[in-house]
Amino acid sequence: MQVSRQRATLRLQDVATAAGVSIATASRSLSGAPGVSDTVAERVREVARQMGYVANVHARSLAAGTSRSVGLVVHEIGDPYFAEIASGVLRLGGEEGLTVQICHTGRDPDKELEQIRSLVAHRVGAIVIAGSGFVDPALQAAARQDLQAYREAGGRVAVIGRHHLGVDAVLPENTKGGRAIAEHVLALGHRRLAVATGSRGLTTIADRLAGVEEACTAAGVDFATVQVIEAEFTRAGGKIAAEQILAEHPDVTAILAMNDDMAIGILSVLRLQGIDVPGRISVTGFDDVAVAGDLAPSLTTIRLPMLTMGEHALELALKEPAARPRRRTAGHELVVRDSTGPPG
Amino acid sequence: MQVSRQRATLRLQDVATAAGVSIATASRSLSGAPGVSDTVAERVREVARQMGYVANVHARSLAAGTSRSVGLVVHEIGDPYFAEIASGVLRLGGEEGLTVQICHTGRDPDKELEQIRSLVAHRVGAIVIAGSGFVDPALQAAARQDLQAYREAGGRVAVIGRHHLGVDAVLPENTKGGRAIAEHVLALGHRRLAVATGSRGLTTIADRLAGVEEACTAAGVDFATVQVIEAEFTRAGGKIAAEQILAEHPDVTAILAMNDDMAIGILSVLRLQGIDVPGRISVTGFDDVAVAGDLAPSLTTIRLPMLTMGEHALELALKEPAARPRRRTAGHELVVRDSTGPPG
DNA sequence: GTGAAAGCGCTAACAC
DNA sequence: GTGTTAGCGCTTTCAC
C-alpha cells in the first residue's frame, strides 16, 4: 500500500481561530467537556460543523491515552456463525460510538497472535475474541501472555466460547447442547450414530463432543461404537464426512454434525444420493444459523444466540473489570425441525 | 465505555536505551528505514522483540501522517452477501498488513455518512464502500461531498456496486444479471412472472429490475403485467412477498427474487404451503451466496464473485489514484439449478 | 552511520 | 469561563 499522506486537513486550531476562541476552549466545546459556557460551546460546534472539521483520532488518542475503539477477532468472517456474532458487536459498538476493528485468523494460532498484537498496537480500549481456542495449552500460551500484558496496561478483554484464558467470557452451552441434541436423537430410538466434526483440537468441538458422549453413556450406548469422523469444520468438510460415513458405515441411522455448516454439506450429499432424510437417516446441526430453518428438510439443531453473544461479550469488555473473571452463560435451545425422526 | 488509560507501556525510548542507541536509530531500525548499519538494526530488533515492544500506532500515524489501515462500510455484516465481501477485504488486507475497520449502516443514509466521517477521523488510508447506494441523488450528496474532501486530503476510495460517486468502482453486472435470469425463465416458457424485490430506491435493485424489464420487453412480455412486490431485502421480506404473491396473483408460474436471501424466504413459504418447486412455480435468486447450492431445491441464481469483488475493491483503493475513476466489472454467471423448470 | 531536536494535532493540567 | 502550555510517542529533517 502506498499509504496516503493527509494534507491540507483542518486542524482544531483552524476551528478555534474561526470561532474566535482558544484551542483549549474549542477542544472542550467539541468533546463536550465542562467549563465552557453553553453559548460559546454551541457556536464553536456550529463553526466546526460548517467547516466540515473532523478531529484527528490519532492525535486525540495519543494525547488522551485512550481510544474509543475495540477489536474483534474471529476465525472467518464469511462463516455465518462469526458474521452473526460480528453483527452483534458492530450493533452495540455503533450505538456506543465505538469503532470496531475486525481481524481474521483463519483458525491459525500464529495469525491469531499477530492480530492480537496489532490490536494492542492500536491501543484499542477492548478486545473481543470470538471463536474456539485450542485444546493444546502451548498454543494458547503466547496469546495468553500478550493479553495479560495488555490487561495490565489497562486494556479489557472478553472472549466468546473459550475458557482457560482467564478473562471475562461469554460461554455458549456447548457441552449441554451436545448432550441435548444427542439425547433428542437417542430418544427417537437411534442407536447407530455417526458424528461429523471439525478438529478435536478446538475446545468448542471437544466440549460439544463431550456432551454427546455424556448422553450416549447415559442412554447405555457405548461411545466407542459411535463413528466420529473428523473433517474441516465447513460445508465442504460435511460433504466429505458424509461420503465417508455412507461408504464405511452404511448402517448408521443418524448423523450428528457439530455445526450447521457441516450439516448443510451432509444434507446436500444425502439429497444427491437420493437418501431420505429423516426417513433413512436423521441429521442434526449445531448453532442454528439463520438459514437452518429454511433448508429442506429444515434442520434440527441447537440454537445459540450468536447476535446476543456478540453484544454480551462487548458489554462485558466495556465494563469495569471485576476482581475475578466473569462468566456469562449463553443459553442453548434444542430446535426440533424436519431433519430428524425415528429410525426407519 | 469507560475508556482505558494505557499505562506502563513500553516506549521506543525504552528499547533504544536497552539497545544502547538513540531513539532515532531505534525508530529507523524497527521501521526498516535506511541509514542504520545492519548489525545495529538487527540488534535493536532483537531487543525490541525480547522486550515485547509494540509500537503505538497513534503516535506513529500522527508523526508520519499516514496509517496502515482501511475502512470498510457495509449495510449489514450478518448478511452473507456482505460477509463474503468482507471476507475478501479482510483476506487481502491481512496479507498487506493492514488493519480493517468495519462499519455497519443498516441501509440508513445518515448512518452511512456518520460512519464515513468516523473513518475519515481515523485517517484511514482507504475506504471501501460496499452495498448499494440510493437512487435519490439528495441522499448521495452529503456522502459524496465528504468523500471528495477526504480524497483531496489524499485518501483513497473504492466502491462496490454503486456508481455516481465519482470514484473507483467494482461493478457487479446487475443489469446484465437481471436480464440473464429473466431470459432463463422466459426461455423456459414462463409468461406470468412476479418479482420479489427490496426497496427500488437502491441502485442495485433498480439495475437488476432494469435487466429484468429488458428481457421481458425483448421477449414480448409487457413488463407492466409483471407483478413487482416490494418488501424488505431479506429472508423475512421474501416470505412476506411470497405470501402476497400467492394470495393476490395465484396464476404466477415464476417468482424472480432480486437476491438469494429473499429467494430462500420464498422457497420456505412455498414448501410450507406444499407448493411444488419448480413443478408449479419456479423460483430464482441473485448473488449465489454459499448456501444457495445446498438448498432443496437448489437455487437457480446469478453468481456474483463476492469474495473477489471485495479483494478487487481494496486493490483499487490501494493503487495510486488514476486521472479518472476506474471501473472494474465483476462478471456474472447464470447458475441453473433445480428451482427452475418449465411451467406446469 | 548516528544523534539531537522539531514537530504531528490534540488533551489536560494549570494559570488567570 | 477561558487561555497558555507541556506533553502523548513517534518520525524525520538536519547536524555531525
Side-chain angles (χ1 to χ4, degrees), chain A residues 12 27 53 59-60 63:
Chain A
L12 183 55
S27 170
Y53 169 75
R60 175 175 289 189

Side-chain angles (χ1 to χ4, degrees), chain A residues 303-314:
Chain A
R303 170 173 304 161
L304 298 183
M306 277 93 74
L307 199 121
T308 316
M309 282 158 55
E311 294 180 345
H312 286 346
L314 183 53

Side-chain angles (χ1 to χ4, degrees), chain A residues 24-323:
Chain A
T25 300
S27 170
R28 288 192 267 257
S29 304
L30 294 179
S31 66
V36 196
S37 72
D38 288 356
T39 1
V40 174
E42 188 44 57
R43 178 159 48 86
V44 173
R45 278 193 287 267
E46 178 57 20
V47 169
R49 222 180 41 66
Q50 292 210 347
M51 299 174 81
Y53 169 75
V54 192
N56 183 323
V57 173
H58 298 304
R60 175 175 289 189
S61 300
L62 185 56
T66 67
S67 94
R68 295 203 48 82
S69 69
V70 301
L72 170 64
V73 181
V74 300
H75 285 331
E76 164 60 55
I77 192 72
D79 180 330
Y81 176 79
F82 293 112
E84 289 185 34
I85 287 177
S87 183
V89 172
L90 247 44
R91 207 203 54 66
L92 180 58
E95 205 167 85
E96 300 278 329
L98 302 168
T99 61
V100 180
Q101 274 180 36
I102 302 191
C103 318
H104 248 174
T105 70
R107 294 200 167 78
D108 174 348
D110 292 336
K111 220 156 178 186
E112 179 173 296
L113 188 60
E114 191 184 299
Q115 303 288 14
I116 290 174
R117 291 240 165 95
S118 156
L119 290 173
V120 171
H122 277 84
R123 301 300 190 268
V124 294
I127 298 179
V128 173
I129 303 179
S132 181
F134 306 90
V135 171
D136 180 354
L139 293 175
Q140 256 2 344
R144 191 182 173 128
Q145 192 178 332
D146 269 47
L147 289 175
Q148 182 60 30
Y150 170 68
R151 290 166 60 218
E152 277 167 9
R156 311 241 213 283
V157 181
V159 296
I160 298 176
R162 61 206 285 172
H163 12 231
H164 312 316
L165 234 36
V167 298
D168 288 350
V170 173
L171 295 173
E173 298 179 327
N174 284 319
T175 306
K176 284 191 190 171
R179 183 173 180 135
I181 196 82
E183 277 170 352
H184 164 68
V185 168
L186 290 164
L188 285 170
H190 294 273
R191 284 301 174 269
R192 292 188 302 280
L193 312 183
V195 172
T197 175
S199 162
R200 300 167 88 158
L202 294 170
T203 57
T204 298
I205 293 179
D207 291 352
R208 292 179 184 183
L209 274 174
V212 172
E213 179 165 4
E214 275 178 34
C216 287
T217 308
V221 172
D222 182 3
F223 189 63
T225 70
V226 175
Q227 306 302 329
V228 179
I229 310 295
E230 211 169 314
E232 266 189 58
F233 209 35
T234 60
R235 215 171 351 255
K239 290 183 185 176
I240 291 170
E243 278 157 9
Q244 189 179 338
I245 291 167
L246 290 177
E248 300 176 7
H249 311 286
D251 59 338
V252 155
T253 63
I255 304 179
L256 283 65
M258 291 295 97
N259 74 359
D260 286 352
D261 234 24
M262 290 193 90
I264 291 171
I266 292 167
L267 285 178
S268 137
V269 166
L270 296 182
R271 176 154 29 86
L272 230 59
Q273 305 214 3
I275 295 175
D276 184 39
V277 176
R280 175 138 164 250
I281 297 185
S282 286
V283 175
T284 65
F286 207 115
D287 291 343
D288 197 27
V289 298
V291 84
D294 295 318
L295 298 167
S298 57
L299 188 65
T300 294
T301 188
I302 296 292
R303 170 173 304 161
L304 298 183
M306 277 93 74
L307 199 121
T308 316
M309 282 158 55
E311 294 180 345
H312 286 346
L314 183 53
E315 245 169 46
L316 282 179
L318 297 183
K319 272 191 191 157
E320 279 302 322

Side-chain angles (χ1 to χ4, degrees), chain B residues 16 44 65 83 108 119 136 138 168 173 198 210 212 215 223 240 244 264 267 273-274 282 299 309:
Chain B
V44 172
D108 174 349
L119 290 174
D136 181 353
D168 289 348
E173 298 179 328
V212 172
F223 189 64
I240 290 170
Q244 189 179 337
I264 291 171
L267 285 179
Q273 305 214 1
S282 286
L299 188 63
M309 282 158 54

